[in-house]
């Protein structure tokens, strides 16, 4: 939707439907888990909850890349890369020992670094080049509700791009 900030009226500009077989969970598709705007390309980057595919779309075109057999739980976009929070299928495996955060090029090549989530189920992510400048961080939120714990927000030190 495009929203007019003066009137509040909105106009539908585009739609997207996730494939029914693209989630690692036994659930209906369409539970977006990760949404980022890329100001360099004006594309939206997104993935279904525990999705096997990461999508980037403009109003007129788009692309995607697969992370299968892994399951995406969150994403963040930088100028040249996409960070993904990934888990092995099935997701989550209740021990969450398979979790890792990985950097990809925007055409889907793993370029690292890769680091373990140390048994914590993280959901979503966002890139931050301001708070710890000149260092950069990837903020994530722990899904504590799945395991009966409070949610925690963590900043991981990552390359600035």
């Amino acid at each position: 939707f495009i929203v007019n900030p003066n009137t509040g009226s909105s106009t539908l500009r585009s739609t997207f439907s996730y494939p029914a077989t693209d989630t690692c969970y036994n659930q209906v598709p369409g539970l977006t888990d990760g949404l980022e705007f890329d100001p360099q390309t004006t594309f939206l980057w997104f993935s279904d909850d525990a999705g096997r595919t990461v999508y980037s779309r403009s109003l007129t075109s788009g692309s995607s890349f697969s992370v299968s057999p892994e399951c995406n739980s969150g994403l963040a976009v930088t100028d040249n890369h996409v960070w993904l929070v990934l888990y092995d299928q099935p997701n989550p495996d209740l021990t969450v020992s398979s979790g890792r955060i990985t950097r990809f090029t925007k055409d889907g090549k793993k370029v690292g670094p890769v680091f373990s989530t140390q048994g914590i189920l993280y959901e979503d992510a966002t890139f931050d080049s301001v708070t710890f400048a000149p260092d950069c961080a990837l903020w994530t939120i722990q899904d504590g509700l799945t395991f009966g714990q409070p949610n925690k927000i963590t900043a991981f030190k990552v390359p600035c791009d």
Side-chain angles (χ1 to χ4, degrees), residues 1-56:
F1 285 92
I2 300 295
V3 178
N4 181 321
N6 297 320
T7 66
S9 65
S10 62
T11 305
L12 179 65
R13 295 293 303 264
S14 181
T15 61
F16 182 84
S17 297
Y18 291 102
T21 58
D22 195 48
T23 181
C24 295
Y25 289 142
N26 185 17
Q27 67 187 17
V28 297
L31 303 173
T32 300
D33 195 2
L35 175 65
E36 287 281 325
F37 176 71
D38 183 347
Q40 259 196 337
T41 63
T42 67
F43 275 48
L44 286 174
W45 288 80
F46 52 96
S47 174
D48 204 357
D49 187 28
R52 294 184 182 100
T53 307
V54 175
Y55 301 91
S56 62

Side-chain angles (χ1 to χ4, degrees), residues 13 68 122 134 144 146:
R13 295 293 303 264
S68 187
Y122 287 105
T146 301

Side-chain angles (χ1 to χ4, degrees), residues 133-148:
D135 294 323
C136 293
L138 189 72
W139 290 94
T140 60
I141 187 165
Q142 176 182 345
D143 177 9
L145 297 177
T146 301
F147 302 99

Side-chain angles (χ1 to χ4, degrees), residues 12-13 18 24 28 32 37 39 45 50 60 62 71 77 80 84 98 100 103 109 114 117 119 142 145 160:
L12 179 65
R13 295 293 303 264
Y18 291 102
C24 295
V28 297
T32 300
F37 176 71
W45 288 80
T60 58
C71 310
V77 176
N80 299 307
L84 299 178
S98 64
R100 65 207 151 280
R103 186 170 63 160
K109 295 181 181 83
V114 176
T117 60
Q142 176 182 345
L145 297 177
C160 288

Side-chain angles (χ1 to χ4, degrees), residues 107-121:
D107 60 358
K109 295 181 181 83
K110 285 185 187 180
V111 293
V114 176
F115 50 97
S116 170
T117 60
Q118 300 175 354
I120 297 171
L121 176 60

